[in-house]
């Protein structure tokens, strides 16, 4: 078996072990997210559409998503849920350039 084939097998086994740790509801959420990702072409609508599922799956309270602009070398076009706009603005001014 080639090195690439061994890596694919290892990745597949790793994913299988990870999926085994999820509840039935979490697997359903995950596959729902994957279905939405494969069906949508509007990035902003897609991000908004999957946010609540991601919050449930990750057991999180808030979420934000940015799109990288390679020309400007910055993250922009933010979409967020359950966050203060001031936190997003603070990130935009400082933390995207000074990530610890």
């Amino acid at each position: 078996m080639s090195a690439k084939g061994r890596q694919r097998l290892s990745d597949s086994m790793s994913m299988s072990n990870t999926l085994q740790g999820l509840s039935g509801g979490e697997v359903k959420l995950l596959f729902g997210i994957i279905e939405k990702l494969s069906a949508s072409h509007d990035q902003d609508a897609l991000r908004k559409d999957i946010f609540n599922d991601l919050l449930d799956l990750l057991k999180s309270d808030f979420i934000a998503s940015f799109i990288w602009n390679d020309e400007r070398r910055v993250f922009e076009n933010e979409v967020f849920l359950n966050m203060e706009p001031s936190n997003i603005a603070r990130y935009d001014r400082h933390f995207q350039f000074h990530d610890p």
Side-chain angles (χ1 to χ4, degrees):
M1 180 181 292
S2 70
K4 191 179 269 188
R6 283 192 300 275
Q7 182 61 45
R8 280 193 205 127
L9 180 61
S10 174
D11 290 348
S12 176
M13 291 171 58
S14 177
M15 178 182 264
S16 177
N17 290 339
T18 301
L19 287 175
Q20 288 176 358
L22 298 177
S23 71
E26 290 169 333
V27 170
K28 185 176 178 180
L29 270 173
L30 178 61
F31 284 115
I33 291 167
I34 292 169
E35 181 179 14
K36 290 174 185 177
L37 288 170
S38 66
S40 180
H41 298 289
D42 179 353
Q43 289 183 351
D44 292 344
L46 170 65
R47 292 184 291 161
K48 290 175 185 174
D49 192 31
I50 65 173
F51 270 6
N52 285 315
D53 292 342
L54 285 170
L55 286 174
D56 288 345
L57 183 63
L58 300 172
K59 298 174 179 59
S60 298
D61 297 321
F62 55 89
I63 190 168
S65 173
F66 300 81
I67 295 177
W68 178 251
N69 181 325
D70 205 31
E71 285 181 17
R72 295 183 56 217
R73 313 264 322 138
V74 296
F75 286 102
E76 59 187 17
N77 197 18
E78 69 273 351
V79 176
F80 54 95
L81 183 64
N82 299 338
M83 294 181 73
E84 291 293 324
S86 61
N87 283 342
I88 298 297
R90 189 169 35 254
Y91 169 84
D92 194 42
R93 283 190 312 273
H94 178 78
F95 290 105
Q96 77 167 309
F97 303 108
H98 301 95
D99 189 353

